[in-house]
Amino acid sequence: MNVSSTFKLNNGNEIPVIALGSWDSRGDEAYQACLDALSAGYRHIDTAAYYENESLVGAAVRDCEIPREEIFVTSKMWYEDMVEGKQEAAFEKTLKELGLEYVDMYLLHWPINDVKGSWKVLEKYYEQGLIKNIGVSNFRPKHLKQLEVTANIAPAVDQIEICPFLVQEETVNYCQEHDIVVEAWGPLGKGKQLSEPEIVAIAKKYNKTPAQIILRWHLQRGIVSLPKSVHKERIIQNADIFDFELSKEDMQIMMSMDLRESTGRGYPEQYEY
Ligand code: A2P
């Protein structure tokens, strides 16, 4: 395996196991980070309308001289656009900002507002080939079960916050039992977990960095991770996780760090747990 290796989605398509995350990446830095990631072998970049950097991601994808079909670009519909009359415009704006003819994955960003109607819009663009794969983000099993009732096409992925302080066993198990690939946002706990003594100790043992240990833990759980960095050496480091394997015991140590606590950015008020 390497950074461009893939997991299979429930529609037969493939998704690269590591993406460059881009939340909070801005301006030249965001553009350069995408170019650095693509030249380091990444073939998957994650953005969202909400991040206000789709145009920079799109520009890097267009400028990098790698054939478009080899790159997997994900974006997301913001929940305020998940209301009747706004959904189509939101998707069309994303395509325009990206400057691409299609997007590889498009997600409903949060299970808020008109999930059912928004999903129908995603299904329509999927059938038209403008979105190659459709999925959701921040959905718990309860939200997935509600969606299943009216969906014609099952979500290919669920992108949720996961790190060693928030291992999300219930949602991960539900998704994996239902053939939905799980993606981890904030996979490094926003960088806050890199000095945790347990992780530092494991890192020493494998002669790897704490970030590499955490990203390897995601990989061995069968989870796509989206580490965000705007620093070239970290972008390269985060992709160098394919030459070692964590033991069952070390995987377990990291599972037992679960505090069921978001290290995150605050969930929208309307989010129903
Ligand atoms: P930066 O972008 O300045 O490199 P997450 O992916 O969990 O959201 O974490 C992202 C945070 O972790 C960012 O602040 C990023 O900083 C930092 N980060 C990413 N990769 C590494 C790394 N290999 N070592 C240390 N910090 C990292």
Side-chain angles (χ1 to χ4, degrees), residues 21 23 25 29 162-163 184-192 194 209-212 215 226-235 237-238 263 265:
W23 181 80
S25 299
E29 252 187 4
I162 311 178
C163 63
W185 65 257
L188 302 172
K190 276 179 92 185
K192 287 180 192 161
L194 302 176
T209 67
Q212 290 169 325
L215 295 171
L226 327 165
K228 176 262 171 186
S229 179
V230 290
H231 293 101
K232 188 173 185 179
E233 69 287 356
R234 288 178 174 173
I235 290 171
Q237 182 196 120
N238 293 345
T263 49
R265 295 126 200 183

Side-chain angles (χ1 to χ4, degrees), residues 2-38:
N2 61 44
V3 63
S4 63
S5 295
T6 56
F7 290 140
K8 209 165 207 80
L9 298 169
N10 57 18
N11 59 4
N13 292 341
E14 308 210 348
I15 183 166
V17 297
I18 300 248
L20 178 72
S22 70
W23 181 80
D24 216 21
S25 299
R26 317 225 160 252
D28 287 349
E29 252 187 4
Y31 173 76
Q32 192 55 45
C34 291
L35 288 182
D36 289 343
L38 290 163

Side-chain angles (χ1 to χ4, degrees), residues 20-257:
L20 178 72
S22 70
W23 181 80
D24 216 21
S25 299
R26 317 225 160 252
D28 287 349
E29 252 187 4
Y31 173 76
Q32 192 55 45
C34 291
L35 288 182
D36 289 343
L38 290 163
S39 77
Y42 289 62
R43 289 295 177 267
H44 184 177
I45 298 178
D46 184 90
T47 179
Y50 184 66
Y51 306 165
E52 295 182 347
N53 59 16
E54 288 170 310
S55 62
L56 301 159
V57 169
V61 169
R62 294 194 310 275
D63 295 350
C64 69
E65 296 181 0
I66 295 164
R68 168 68 185 97
E69 61 277 11
E70 289 179 20
I71 305 175
F72 194 101
V73 179
T74 295
S75 194
K76 316 182 187 90
M77 182 185 287
W78 187 238
Y79 71 84
E80 288 167 354
D81 291 323
M82 288 170 55
V83 290
E84 207 185 331
K86 284 195 168 183
Q87 294 122 325
E88 273 97 350
F91 174 67
E92 281 159 22
K93 180 156 187 265
T94 278
L95 267 194
K96 197 166 166 225
E97 289 285 320
L98 286 167
L100 300 175
E101 282 172 17
Y102 64 87
V103 63
D104 297 273
M105 177 73 80
Y106 193 59
L107 310 180
L108 299 184
H109 208 142
W110 292 92
I112 294 173
N113 291 332
D114 179 16
V115 170
K116 191 170 132 185
S118 304
W119 189 252
K120 292 274 165 237
V121 171
L122 265 57
E123 289 179 334
K124 179 179 81 178
Y125 288 120
Y126 176 77
E127 271 150 17
Q128 292 175 3
L130 295 175
I131 308 174
K132 300 297 179 195
N133 305 281
I134 54 178
V136 295
S137 185
N138 300 301
F139 277 45
R140 296 181 188 278
K142 116 176 171 177
H143 306 117
L144 291 165
K145 284 178 200 159
Q146 280 164 7
L147 180 62
E148 263 168 38
V149 178
T150 54
N152 290 321
I153 301 169
V157 301
D158 188 5
Q159 182 181 126
I160 57 176
E161 182 182 14
I162 311 178
C163 63
F165 288 168
L166 184 67
V167 310
Q168 298 262 31
E169 235 174 333
E170 190 198 345
T171 305
V172 171
N173 288 344
Y174 183 89
C175 287
Q176 292 183 340
E177 281 159 16
H178 290 80
D179 206 10
I180 298 169
V181 167
V182 179
E183 301 186 353
W185 65 257
L188 302 172
K190 276 179 92 185
K192 287 180 192 161
Q193 292 173 354
L194 302 176
S195 50
E196 279 304 301
E198 288 99 324
I199 293 175
V200 171
I202 297 173
K204 277 201 185 122
K205 195 158 97 185
Y206 292 88
N207 203 16
K208 286 282 171 180
T209 67
Q212 290 169 325
I213 296 298
I214 296 178
L215 295 171
R216 181 74 203 186
W217 171 78
H218 288 291
L219 181 73
Q220 288 182 216
R221 294 183 76 197
I223 293 171
V224 172
S225 61
L226 327 165
K228 176 262 171 186
S229 179
V230 290
H231 293 101
K232 188 173 185 179
E233 69 287 356
R234 288 178 174 173
I235 290 171
I236 293 169
Q237 182 196 120
N238 293 345
D240 181 17
I241 60 164
F242 298 94
D243 60 351
F244 72 108
E245 189 172 344
L246 293 169
S247 68
K248 269 194 186 142
E249 295 71 32
D250 291 328
M251 288 293 291
Q252 203 44 51
I253 289 171
M254 293 175 70
M255 292 301 291
S256 67
M257 291 174 72

